[in-house]
Amino acid sequence: MAEFVRLDSSTSRHTMDKSITLPPDEIFRNLENAKRFAIDIGGSLTKLAYYSTVQHKVAKVRSFDKATKEAASDKLYEISVQEEVTARLHFIKFENAYIETCLDFIKDHLVNTETKVIKATGGGAHKFKELIERKLGLKVDKEDEMTCLIKGCNFVLRNIPHEAFVYAKHADSEFRFQTTQPDIFPYLLVNIGSGVSIVKVESEDKFERIGGSSIGGGTFWGLGALLTKTKRFDELLQLASKGQHTSVDMLVKDIYGGSYGSLGLTGDLIASSFGKSATADKEFSKEDMAKSLLHMISNDIGQLACLYAKLHNLSRVYFGGFFIRGHPVTMHTITYSINFFTKGEVQALFLRHEGYLGAIGAFLKGAEEDNPNQYSWGENYAGSSGLMSVSPDMNPMQRARSGTFDMLEMDRLERQLVNLPLLQDPSSYIPDTMDLTEDALAREYWLYCFEEALDGVVKRAVASQPDMPEAAERAEKFRQKYRHKLQTLRHQPFAYGSLTVRSLLDTREHCLNEFNFPDPYSKIKQNENDIALKYYQKAVKSLEELSWEERQFALVRGVLAGNVFDWGAKAVSDVLESDPEFGFEQAKRQLEERPWLVDSYDQWLERLRGPPHKCALFFVDNSGVDIILGVIPFVRELLSRGTEVVLASNSGPALNDVTNGELQILTERIAAMDPVIQAGLREDRLTLVQSGSSSPCLDLSRLDKVLAQVVRERQTDLVIIEGMGRAIHTNYYAMLSCESLKMAVIKNSWLADRLGGKLFSVVFKYEVPAGKPSQGSAAVTPS
C-alpha cells in the first residue's frame, strides 16, 4: 500500500485534511501518459482504472558486422541500452471520501488523453457523475455493473495465476492459493453487496443471473447498526471478531442435551440464530450479537450458494462483493458454511483482486477496440500493493481512516502465454516445488537469503552502468523498494499469492526494471560467452575421441558442470568473484561422484541404446560455459542421432540466463565452426524459440504461444529442463505426457541439506510417464 506523505501546504493546493497530499510517485503513476479511464464507485470505495504507456530501458544485443571497422573488436556482439514503450494497466482503490481530491490531482497532472469518455460502473456512478464530468472534462458513460464484474473476473482468472484462494483460518497458512485452470469456465460468482446476486458464467460473453437474495451485506450492516448502535461496517466486523455467538444462538445441544445422532446433527450446530435472546432474561453484548448476526447471514448465503452450485452442477464458486473485502472473519464464516452444506464437495473460493473486478470490466468495455484480450498480462510486483491483511484484530478501522491506497499494476506482455501442450494434467500442474507460505522454516531462510544478497545485487547493478552517474542513486531506490517488499512478505507471506523462490526472484527482477536496470549481468554474460567460445572446438574434439558410452557420460557431466556457472547462487558467485580463472574443468571436479543424489543415469543410457527421439525440447539456463560447453555439445549429439531439437531460452534477461537474442548470435557463431550445428540450422532440425519468460524459474503453464505451436508441429517426445531454478525450485514434480530429463547441480547448502545432499550434489531425473513403454531396453516411472 502506498502511504500518504506530509508536505508543506505551499507544495500543493489540494489536501485532504490540510496536512496530507497525494504522493504522485507512488499512486497515480504514469498519469501523464494515460490514454483511457474507467471508474467503479461503490457505497464506500472508489476504484479507478487507467491505461498508460511506460517508457523504460531494455538491453539489446547486436552482432558485430565483420565487414566494418568494428570487426577489430574481440567481442562477439555489442550491447546497447535502448528506450522502449510498453503498455501498463493501473488500478487504484481508495475511499469515496477522497474522491474530490483524487479527481483534482488527476486533472492537474493529466497532460493529454486519447478519449473524451470515462467508463463508469457501480452504484455511486450516478451520484458522482456530475462531479467527475466537471472535474475531468470527460463524459461519463455508464456501463452495466454485472457485465463489468464478470468481464473483470474473467480477466484476473486468466492473467493472474494465483488469483483464487481458499481461506483456512486454523491452518499453518490461512491463504491457500489455487492453480488457475486452463479453462476457467464454467463457474458460479456469488456477489455479496447490499443484497446477493448469484451468476452462472459459461463463457467470455455468456452469463446469467440465476438467483439471489435480499439478505446480504446490507442486512448485516443494517441489522447490526440497530442491534449494536454501531454505524461503521468495519467496527461491526471488529465487534463480531471478538464475540461468542453461542451466548445468543440456540444450539442443537441446548434443545436435545447433546447431538441429534439419527439426523447427523452435532451438538455445537446452530439450531436457531438468536434463539436464546427470546427466552434469556439478560442483556447481550454487542460483540456476541454481531457474531451471531454474521453467522446467520453467512450461513444463509452459503446454503443458497451450495444449492445453486448443485442445481447447475458447478464445483467452482467464487465469492466477492463489499461484504467480503478480504476480511478473514467473513471469509471464515462463508467457508465454514460451504463446507458444512456440501460436505467438502464444493470449495468457497475468494479472489485476491476482488475489489477491482468492476473497474477492470468497465475499462475493458472501453478498450475493446484495442483488443486487450488478445494479449497476456502479468502483475507487476514492483507497483502492486498485494493482498494486505484487513483483519479487524490486526488493524482496527483500517478502512475507515487508513490514509493508504491499494494498487494493482499489470504489464502487457509481448506474447500470448499458454500451457505447454505436453503437461500431463494442466489443471493440477503446480510450477513451484516449495510453497513458502506453508513452510515457515523455509520462508525465513529464503527471505533472509534474498535480504543478504541485496548488497551484491545493488553493487552489480551500479557496475553494469559505469557511464551513468545517477546509477548509484537509482540502485539505492531499488534497494529500498525491494527491501520493503521483503519486509511485507515476512509479515504477510500471502501478499502476492503463493510465496515461492520464483516469486521472490521475479519481484526482484520487476524492481530492478522499475529503476532502469534492465540487465545487470549483460557485460558478465558477454565476457563469459566470448571466453567459452574459444574452447568450443577443443571441447567437441575431445568428446569425439571418446567411445560412445564414455561420450554419453561426458556429455551429461558437461551439462552439469556448465550449470555450476550461476551468478544467482551465492556459493558460486563468491567463487567467480574471487577466482576469475575458475573454469570448466574446475567445475567438473566440484561435481558429486556417482551415485548422485537423484540418479537415473543408467536408465537414460539404456534409453539412448534404443531408437532416437523425434524431437527434444530443451529449456536452457545460463550463458557462457553452461550453454556453449555444456548444452550445445549435448544438443549436437541429439542432432547426430537424428533427433530434432528446439532450444527454448528466456525472452528477457534474468540474472546471467542466456536470452533468445544472445542465443541467436551464439548459435550462428558456433555454426560457423561446427558443420553439425550448421546443418541442423540449415535443415531446420535445430530451432531457437523464446520461452515467453523473463525469470530464472519456469512456469510451464505460461509459455509463448509460438513455442507451444512448434512443440505440437514437431511432435516433441522429450523435454529437457536444466538448472536449479527451472528443474528444482520449479518443475521438480512436474508430470509430462512424454519422456523428460531434469538436470541440475544444487548450489545452495541449505537446499542441499533439505534434499538430503550436500553442496554441488547432482539431480539427474529421467522420467517416462506411467503406462508408456520406454523405447530402450529399460523403463523407469516417475519417482
Side-chain angles (χ1 to χ4, degrees):
M1 289 184 181
E3 296 191 8
F4 292 128
V5 292
R6 190 176 295 270
L7 295 178
D8 184 78
S9 58
S10 62
T11 309
S12 173
R13 293 181 289 107
H14 307 296
T15 58
M16 291 179 190
D17 63 1
K18 306 302 180 191
S19 65
I20 294 177
T21 189
L22 297 173
D25 291 345
E26 287 296 323
I27 297 177
F28 294 101
R29 289 154 31 98
N30 308 304
L31 197 56
E32 66 278 7
N33 299 317
K35 295 191 169 32
R36 298 185 186 282
F37 283 91
I39 197 163
D40 174 16
I41 308 174
S44 64
L45 294 174
T46 295
K47 286 77 68 175
L48 182 74
Y50 62 95
Y51 164 96
S52 79
T53 51
V54 184
Q55 201 164 31
H56 61 102
K57 296 188 186 304
V58 292
K60 298 279 188 182
V61 295
R62 183 173 73 89
S63 183
F64 278 117
D65 182 355
K66 297 301 174 186
T68 68
K69 291 178 182 177
E70 292 171 326
S73 169
D74 288 337
K75 299 294 182 187
L76 172 64
Y77 54 82
E78 62 176 330
I79 305 160
S80 62
V81 175
Q82 301 171 13
E83 294 286 338
E84 196 169 88
V85 175
T86 53
R88 181 172 290 175
L89 298 181
H90 301 259
F91 303 100
I92 302 154
K93 183 166 54 176
F94 52 89
E95 295 199 14
N96 290 353
Y98 303 151
I99 190 167
E100 194 159 353
T101 304
C102 291
L103 292 174
D104 279 338
F105 184 88
I106 292 166
K107 181 183 71 175
D108 286 354
H109 290 80
L110 197 60
V111 178
N112 52 46
T113 179
E114 291 176 359
T115 180
K116 298 301 178 190
V117 173
I118 180 168
K119 292 288 185 179
T121 188
H126 176 76
K127 179 182 175 184
F128 291 99
K129 179 178 185 289
E130 189 182 326
L131 177 71
I132 295 166
E133 291 185 335
R134 178 164 48 85
K135 292 280 187 187
L136 297 185
L138 300 176
K139 181 180 178 294
V140 172
D141 189 359
K142 200 169 183 312
E143 291 289 345
D144 177 69
E145 191 171 355
M146 195 53 66
T147 303
C148 291
L149 203 63
I150 301 302
K151 270 192 170 295
C153 193
N154 293 342
F155 184 84
V156 296
L157 286 175
R158 258 199 328 273
N159 289 288
I160 303 180
H162 285 160
E163 176 60 31
F165 63 89
V166 171
Y167 184 75
K169 184 179 179 182
H170 301 296
D172 290 340
S173 172
E174 294 174 70
F175 296 80
R176 292 185 175 171
F177 293 92
Q178 308 293 295
T179 302
T180 303
Q181 298 193 13
D183 187 3
I184 62 172
F185 306 110
Y187 65 84
L188 201 66
L189 179 64
V190 181
N191 193 55
I192 314 168
S194 299
V196 179
S197 285
I198 299 175
V199 186
K200 178 184 179 182
V201 185
E202 295 183 78
S203 69
E204 194 61 50
D205 299 306
K206 186 180 179 184
F207 62 89
E208 177 189 2
R209 186 184 188 275
I210 56 174
S213 172
S214 61
I215 300 170
T219 316
F220 173 67
W221 198 350
L223 275 178
L226 291 172
L227 289 168
T228 68
K229 309 303 179 194
T230 300
K231 292 292 185 182
R232 296 196 68 88
F233 189 82
D234 284 326
E235 288 178 32
L236 195 58
L237 274 172
Q238 189 190 11
L239 290 174
S241 70
K242 294 177 178 176
Q244 293 291 329
H245 76 99
T246 52
S247 62
V248 182
D249 292 341
M250 187 175 289
L251 309 181
V252 169
K253 65 183 177 186
D254 295 325
I255 301 172
Y256 297 107
S259 61
Y260 196 148
S262 62
L263 293 181
L265 304 176
T266 63
D268 291 328
L269 198 66
I270 298 172
S272 175
S273 295
F274 287 91
K276 287 179 182 174
S277 60
T279 54
D281 188 19
K282 66 170 186 174
E283 291 290 318
F284 294 97
S285 74
K286 292 180 179 181
E287 289 81 1
D288 293 350
M289 287 190 291
K291 187 62 170 280
S292 175
L293 182 61
L294 183 64
H295 276 296
M296 183 180 82
I297 303 291
S298 298
N299 286 337
D300 184 65
I301 294 169
Q303 186 170 29
L304 201 59
C306 291
L307 290 170
Y308 277 106
K310 288 191 170 184
L311 185 64
H312 292 268
N313 197 28
L314 296 170
S315 59
R316 278 176 276 184
V317 183
Y318 298 105
F319 288 85
F322 177 82
F323 184 65
I324 305 291
R325 281 173 69 199
H327 283 287
V329 65
T330 313
M331 292 189 296
H332 173 64
T333 51
I334 288 278
T335 299
Y336 182 87
S337 171
I338 290 285
N339 287 341
F340 175 79
F341 288 117
T342 69
K343 296 181 170 56
E345 289 177 15
V346 174
Q347 281 188 321
L349 293 164
F350 305 96
L351 300 169
R352 276 178 60 211
H353 300 104
E354 178 273 321
Y356 298 107
L357 301 186
I360 292 171
F363 172 81
L364 293 172
K365 286 285 285 181
E368 282 174 345
E369 64 193 64
D370 297 331
N371 293 323
N373 285 328
Q374 298 304 307
Y375 302 94
S376 288
W377 298 78
E379 182 175 4
N380 185 317
Y381 295 141
S384 291
S385 307
L387 177 67
M388 299 303 185
S389 174
V390 288
S391 166
D393 290 335
M394 290 175 63
N395 219 339
M397 314 320 147
Q398 184 188 31
R399 292 290 180 191
R401 295 181 298 276
S402 63
T404 60
F405 280 28
D406 282 335
M407 287 168 295
L408 164 65
E409 290 186 4
M410 298 189 73
D411 289 329
R412 192 175 81 187
L413 307 176
E414 287 181 36
R415 15 197 83 73
Q416 245 185 309
L417 302 182
V418 298
N419 278 302
L420 177 70
L422 299 169
L423 282 173
Q424 203 169 88
D425 179 12
S427 63
S428 64
Y429 168 69
I430 298 171
D432 304 288
T433 305
M434 193 183 299
D435 187 344
L436 304 183
T437 48
E438 296 184 4
D439 191 328
L441 280 175
R443 178 169 72 244
E444 193 48 48
Y445 170 76
W446 285 109
L447 286 171
Y448 167 79
C449 204
F450 277 86
E451 203 154 6
E452 279 290 288
L454 197 46
D455 286 345
V457 177
V458 169
K459 180 182 166 189
R460 179 64 50 208
V462 175
S464 72
Q465 298 180 357
D467 302 328
M468 298 186 182
E470 84 292 352
E473 185 184 341
R474 282 186 284 113
E476 189 53 40
K477 287 181 178 177
F478 154 74
R479 183 207 302 273
Q480 291 169 12
K481 182 97 168 184
Y482 189 57
R483 180 170 282 153
H484 175 70
K485 295 285 179 187
L486 292 175
Q487 287 166 351
T488 298
L489 290 166
R490 183 165 270 118
H491 297 295
Q492 294 164 325
F494 46 80
Y496 296 98
S498 288
L499 180 62
T500 62
V501 172
R502 174 169 63 104
S503 69
L504 288 169
L505 284 164
D506 289 351
T507 304
R508 190 168 71 185
E509 292 298 324
H510 289 185
C511 290
L512 280 166
N513 278 309
E514 188 72 21
F515 295 101
N516 278 322
F517 293 105
D519 193 356
Y521 291 86
S522 58
K523 297 279 199 302
I524 289 175
K525 290 188 289 182
Q526 183 188 40
N527 189 49
E528 291 183 346
N529 286 333
D530 288 333
I531 291 170
L533 274 171
K534 292 181 172 70
Y535 293 96
Y536 176 78
Q537 285 175 302
K538 183 183 175 185
V540 167
K541 188 171 184 296
S542 66
L543 286 165
E544 287 178 334
E545 290 169 355
L546 299 174
S547 68
W548 179 85
E549 193 162 323
E550 287 173 331
R551 187 166 70 251
Q552 304 317 308
F553 186 62
L555 286 164
V556 166
R557 283 191 80 232
V559 173
L560 294 167
N563 193 243
V564 169
F565 291 81
D566 185 350
W567 283 85
K570 193 172 186 302
V572 175
S573 62
D574 287 349
V575 171
L576 297 175
E577 288 271 20
S578 60
D579 182 9
E581 299 302 313
F582 184 84
F584 195 37
E585 295 307 316
Q586 289 93 321
K588 287 179 186 175
R589 289 195 287 272
Q590 293 284 351
L591 295 177
E592 172 188 35
E593 293 295 324
R594 290 194 68 200
W596 295 321
L597 181 64
V598 177
D599 195 335
S600 307
Y601 178 74
D602 292 340
Q603 289 91 337
W604 170 247
L605 187 64
E606 285 303 309
R607 172 63 186 86
L608 290 178
R609 296 185 196 280
H613 295 90
K614 173 140 190 26
C615 178
L617 169 63
F618 200 134
F619 288 100
V620 301
D621 193 5
N622 306 311
S623 286
V625 171
D626 190 350
I627 186 71
I628 295 167
L629 302 183
V631 171
I632 297 295
F634 193 95
V635 166
R636 189 178 186 275
E637 183 77 9
L638 288 172
L639 290 168
S640 300
R641 278 173 57 81
T643 300
E644 293 179 9
V645 179
V646 176
L647 286 181
S649 52
N650 270 10
S651 298
L655 295 173
N656 65 313
D657 294 357
V658 66
T659 63
N660 186 258
E662 292 157 352
L663 188 55
Q664 296 278 357
I665 296 170
L666 288 174
T667 310
E668 284 173 20
R669 179 63 177 274
I670 290 168
M673 52 179 155
D674 186 338
V676 175
I677 300 298
Q678 190 176 66
L681 289 172
R682 188 179 62 248
E683 296 161 13
D684 199 27
R685 293 188 299 110
L686 175 58
T687 310
L688 277 56
V689 293
Q690 304 185 49
S691 67
S693 170
S694 298
S695 169
C697 295
L698 181 64
D699 182 351
L700 297 176
S701 68
R702 284 172 71 80
L703 294 176
D704 189 350
K705 193 174 182 180
V706 173
L707 185 152
Q709 193 175 331
V710 170
V711 163
R712 284 195 192 93
E713 288 171 354
R714 300 284 169 119
Q715 298 177 319
T716 303
D717 53 355
L718 172 65
V719 173
I720 304 170
I721 307 176
E722 177 217 4
M724 199 164 77
R726 290 166 178 76
I728 293 181
H729 289 314
T730 51
N731 299 305
Y732 189 72
Y733 297 116
M735 303 294 288
L736 301 172
S737 59
C738 67
E739 294 172 55
S740 63
L741 192 54
K742 297 165 189 174
M743 294 185 276
V745 177
I746 303 172
K747 293 151 288 193
N748 177 282
S749 299
W750 182 90
L751 182 61
D753 188 57
R754 255 288 171 107
L755 295 173
K758 57 186 189 299
L759 198 63
F760 299 116
S761 286
V762 168
V763 169
F764 187 91
K765 201 177 188 190
Y766 169 59
E767 296 174 311
V768 177
K772 186 171 182 178
S774 173
Q775 297 296 314
S777 52
V780 59
T781 53
S783 56

